[in-house]
Amino acid sequence: MDQRMALLLLTGSVPVRVAFEYPSFGTALLVGVGVVTLLHLLLKDR
C-alpha cells in the first residue's frame, strides 16, 4: 500500500470514528470532508 492510499484511509476513517462518538460534531465533520472531496474531484482536471 502506498502512502497516498494510507492517507486516504486515515482521512476517511477518522471522521467516521468521530461521527460515531460525537454525532452532532461528527455529522458536520463528515459533511465537510464530503464537500472537500467533491471539490477535489471536480477541480482535479484543471
Side-chain angles (χ1 to χ4, degrees):
M1 179 184 325
D2 62 348
Q3 289 179 344
R4 189 173 180 181
M5 183 61 82
L7 181 62
L8 286 174
L9 285 172
L10 182 65
T11 56
S13 62
V14 169
V16 171
R17 171 73 180 187
V18 172
F20 279 116
E21 295 291 326
Y22 310 100
S24 59
F25 178 69
T27 302
L29 187 62
L30 285 174
V31 169
V33 168
V35 168
V36 169
T37 302
L38 183 62
L39 286 173
H40 176 71
L41 290 174
L42 290 174
L43 296 174
K44 186 166 75 169
D45 294 332
R46 289 185 148 226

